[in-house]
Amino acid sequence: MAALSIWLKTKMKKILTFLLALALIFGNVSPLLYAQEATVSSDLTSPTPEPSPEPSPAFEASPSPIVSPLPVLSPEVSSEPTILPIDSHPTPEFESSASIKLPIRVRSLTKRVYKADEKITIVLENTLNSNVQIALFNSDGVEVPTDIEMVSDYDPSVYRILPSNQLKPGRYRVKITDPEGTVTTQDFSWGVLAINPDKSIYLPNEQSLLAMAVLDETGNMVCDAQVVLKITKIPLGSETVASEEELSTQNGGITVNPECFIKDFVLKPDYEAKYQVAEAGTYQLNLTAQTVNGSYSIDDSFEVRDSVVFDIKRSSATRIFPPITYPMTMEVTANEDFSGTVREVVPGNFAVSPLSGAKNYDALESVLGASIGFDDFGINLPALTAPFDLSYPINLGFGQQLRDPLVKQKYADFGLLGHDGVDFDLPEATPVLATDDGEVVRVRANGDYGATVVIQHTWGRSYYGHLSLITKKEGDKISRGHPLGLSGHTGLSTGPHLHFGIKPNENDMNNGYYGKINPLPYLALKPGNQDVLGVQTAPPLVATSLSESQNNQVLIWNLDLKKGDKVTLGYNYQVPNLSPQFYLLGPLQFTKTDGSLTWSEGRRWQLAIDVDGSGANTVDPTTGTVSTTGNTYTFTFDPSEAMDTGGITITVPAGWSAPQGTAGTAGYTVAAGTGNATVARVVSTADSTTGWAEDDGDACGSLGTDTSIKQEGSASISCVNTTTGPDGDDSFSFAFTSEDWSSYSEIAAWFRSDDGRASGEVQFAYDDDAPCWGTGGNAGVVEAFADFALTADTWTYVKRTLAATRTAIVAVCIGSGGDGFDNDTIWIDDVLIGPGAATFTGSGPWTITTRFLDLAATETVTVTYGSSGGASGVTNSATEAVHTFTTASRVSDISTGSYQTLTGGSPTVTLSAPAGPTTDQQMRHGNWFNASGVEQSFTF
């Protein structure tokens, strides 16, 4: 009977506790708000989870500090959804309900377009004891190797796909298969948009320069997208939108630059905009691009502050074309004295070198680790001090999963994944300290976390809940480490503790916690502070790139600056020849000699890596026999985009026939295109001044090579004219030995002007005398073309059909069209005629090179190696093996024959030994045959 009595008392206690919880929930709370940190067991000693929202903006500011003690008050209506408290110690009766087996349900992805620094979160319901398979596929339907981490193995299960070097900009499909074989798929795009303000933090009334890039599903740049940038201004200390402005390609607020079409070194962004910032606050960015493949949209932000410790302005490319070297410059103005180090994090697979004209870095270190102050959503925060002195255990960690089925369902109804802060086990009346400098923007006696203080920092907000005494009022400025009140257990709390949370300005409202993030990675906690997993917490040291998350390098500058000093830091970087790809650079961080981090940029620089225009190359046949003769191998090059004046190379391994250019010889090789594709012959690479000269004395103040502005190869020819006003015809030309052009039908070259030229102001000509114009030239030229215009600072491809007599040609010329070049600089690069033929270099291995006058993305070029077959065909290597015919495309340096490796790989031919004669054949009629089938004398 005694045992029965104890059992009945226990059951009655649980029933009463449950009814009390229901009374709290439905008696004191509106239908849309649920109690915070309420318990379902009166004998629990640790606090339980509370909801994620900020205190309601509808609350009035307290006119004076709140005094202790404070009564336990019910929550009030919040501007963000809150949740029913979930007990981390469920009763057996509640546990039994989990035995009901329900079908697994996949929640919809929170978004359809992800920034390149975001992880893709997958939430599955009803997954207890279930084995779920998750796979990722690219737009071609090929499975992509990826890292998937489990955030929660309880219901709901939460997984995240981690960006890696296998994840490239484009469209993807995630496939979830449950144990019953049911398949659910969801599509998303990743890394197809990039945006870079020239500063992460502006001062009031400055002009923001915004650079943007748009890639398609395959990683190719898109230059005809309808781009819209919405900028929403939220003043500092306010949650109310002050203004919204829309810039777009349609209303002229966003400019599409002609450089977008250039597959070469370009610093000018594909899309750019200017925006006048106003007062201090957060400026939220929503970038949307409508393309032929659909609409993409990402969110980003920058800050405006009334003052900054360091004013930093960056300049570099946003969309880059590998493997060209690009500069990064950072103009730094110090607004206080500083002595220490400045660090910049760069992916480990970048080639970094000093930049002329900028202060060189003092050291370069290779490192492993996670990002400095960046959480899973690419958010940058400074190192924060602990909100208390000494050390206290953590009772409940950020994102901890709850088990009570009744309240868990309410929790799930609001789409929240777990606890939205960290509960520290502070005894009552322990001083609570500000974790960073800021302004008190909210003081509530009965807030969402009981007596609550919210501080607005430059980077976001911090939250301090369940206080027993508040010593600050709204509008007060507060410094890092200064007290704001005493800990307590106000609100619906089971005991004294501090609820601490943070919400960055640049937050993801769809991250499952309404933008709040785990504060532990940013808190400098003393030994003894451990989270629920027992992991010691400390700020991480170095930042990561997306593609090499465990391999980075840090550039270090040693600086001594006085207030008002200006310095330009910089470096050159070359990305690997891997495209499409997406990388992040920075942030620039300032650490004093005592090791304290004093300043950091608020965001990282984004780099969208354009596809290299290579495409794929295949060979037929793919097998053969060693040492056989008369073979023909056909290579088909299929480009991924238009490649005017581009090219392809095929490296033939040693041991095969050398490529030849004469019919009837072994290895005779020809090249031809489909459709309008035209194979070219190079007249001049324009990589040196050899053969180039002015046609008159004042055409060019200087005529020379320009390695910084080029379209193909290693340089271009520049004519710098320093005169102003009409000065007659100006011209310069390239002279060569007399050639018969009667078999050619087209001529082409790249042109550029720094001032721009209207149609007719620049002429492109060829002549049977040199120079084409000026002293010693004929009265006219064989043929000239002037029907093209040049946009300022933009390469223009000019291709024209030859119509006149084309024998004994000795010069190609560029003329001014009658009025001179007028204080302008004219560039020319890569002069070609066509149709042409393949050329050959090397002495084994040999390289077959084919240039293009015109090659569209829908056309192909075929290189036939051993085209006439028979005795003049290719002699195969005598080595049994898999022979790789290394292929590359898109000229990077014509003068050295340097091409970029094909991302699609290189074709192979497998050679095997011929089948030998059978025993029958070897022994018949008293004769025998060796392995090559040659008859031998019978010797016994």
Side-chain angles (χ1 to χ4, degrees), residues 89 155 221 304 524 772 870:
H89 302 276
D155 192 16
M221 59 186 176
V304 175
C772 299

Side-chain angles (χ1 to χ4, degrees), residues 107-439:
R107 290 188 190 175
S108 297
L109 295 175
T110 57
K111 55 180 70 176
R112 285 291 180 262
V113 180
Y114 290 85
K115 293 191 297 182
D117 52 6
E118 288 182 289
K119 298 177 182 179
I120 295 87
T121 301
I122 300 169
V123 181
L124 310 175
E125 298 177 357
N126 309 322
T127 54
L128 286 177
N129 303 317
S130 295
N131 182 20
V132 177
Q133 296 180 348
I134 299 175
L136 188 65
F137 298 86
N138 62 22
S139 57
D140 294 327
V142 178
E143 185 171 357
V144 178
T146 186
D147 294 327
I148 299 177
E149 68 174 358
M150 175 178 282
V151 179
S152 167
D153 61 354
Y154 205 78
D155 192 16
S157 296
V158 181
Y159 301 84
R160 283 188 294 195
I161 299 174
L162 309 182
S164 69
N165 60 351
Q166 300 294 330
L167 202 61
K168 302 179 183 299
R171 184 178 292 275
Y172 290 88
R173 172 165 293 177
V174 61
K175 176 182 177 182
I176 302 105
T177 306
D178 69 16
E180 307 301 323
T182 302
V183 174
T184 303
T185 61
Q186 297 192 55
D187 293 347
F188 65 90
S189 294
W190 183 90
V192 294
L193 300 178
I195 183 169
N196 284 316
D198 59 341
K199 292 184 178 182
S200 65
I201 304 171
Y202 293 91
L203 294 170
N205 303 313
E206 286 189 321
Q207 187 177 67
S208 170
L209 301 179
L210 297 145
M212 293 154 279
V214 180
L215 304 180
D216 65 15
E217 296 176 7
T218 62
N220 271 295
M221 59 186 176
V222 179
C223 300
D224 58 354
Q226 295 183 18
V227 180
V228 177
L229 178 61
K230 294 181 179 179
I231 304 177
T232 302
K233 180 178 65 177
I234 303 176
L236 181 66
S238 172
E239 292 183 346
T240 304
V241 173
S243 66
E244 292 183 337
E245 186 170 345
E246 184 174 292
L247 309 175
S248 71
T249 50
Q250 291 184 306
N251 66 20
I254 296 177
T255 301
V256 186
N257 291 314
E259 282 81 358
C260 183
F261 297 91
I262 297 175
K263 292 279 191 177
D264 203 336
F265 175 86
V266 172
L267 286 177
K268 204 166 188 179
D270 296 342
Y271 300 84
E272 67 177 338
K274 297 178 181 179
Y275 174 75
Q276 189 71 36
V277 306
E279 71 269 29
T282 301
Y283 289 70
Q284 297 176 349
L285 308 174
N286 175 260
L287 178 65
T288 301
Q290 181 70 45
T291 73
V292 294
N293 293 323
S295 180
Y296 309 106
S297 181
I298 61 170
D299 295 313
D300 215 314
S301 69
F302 62 77
E303 294 181 63
V304 175
R305 302 185 188 179
D306 291 322
S307 63
V308 292
V309 178
F310 294 97
D311 190 17
I312 305 168
K313 182 176 182 179
R314 281 188 183 253
S315 178
S316 189
T318 296
R319 187 264 305 168
I320 67 178
F321 182 72
I324 297 171
T325 298
Y326 286 79
M328 169 65 76
T329 59
M330 297 159 286
E331 300 174 12
V332 178
T333 301
N335 293 318
E336 65 175 34
D337 294 349
F338 172 81
S339 180
T341 59
V342 178
R343 298 188 171 200
E344 167 86 339
V345 181
V346 178
N349 57 1
F350 278 32
V352 179
S353 59
L355 173 65
S356 176
K359 178 175 173 52
N360 188 22
Y361 47 87
D362 297 293
L364 178 63
E365 299 178 355
S366 295
V367 292
L368 299 175
S371 62
I372 303 181
F374 284 99
D375 79 334
D376 296 332
F377 300 94
I379 300 168
N380 179 31
L381 274 71
L384 307 176
T385 58
F388 43 75
D389 286 326
L390 305 179
S391 300
Y392 298 96
I394 294 173
N395 288 332
L396 194 67
F398 184 90
Q400 184 173 349
Q401 297 300 300
L402 296 311
R403 294 172 178 264
D404 188 294
L406 176 63
V407 292
K408 184 175 82 68
Q409 182 57 51
K410 296 296 184 182
Y411 188 94
D413 287 345
F414 288 102
L416 296 172
L417 299 180
H419 188 223
D420 71 323
V422 175
D423 287 349
F424 292 97
D425 190 15
L426 269 66
E428 186 152 7
T430 301
V432 176
L433 314 176
T435 61
D436 197 10
D437 298 346
E439 177 182 341

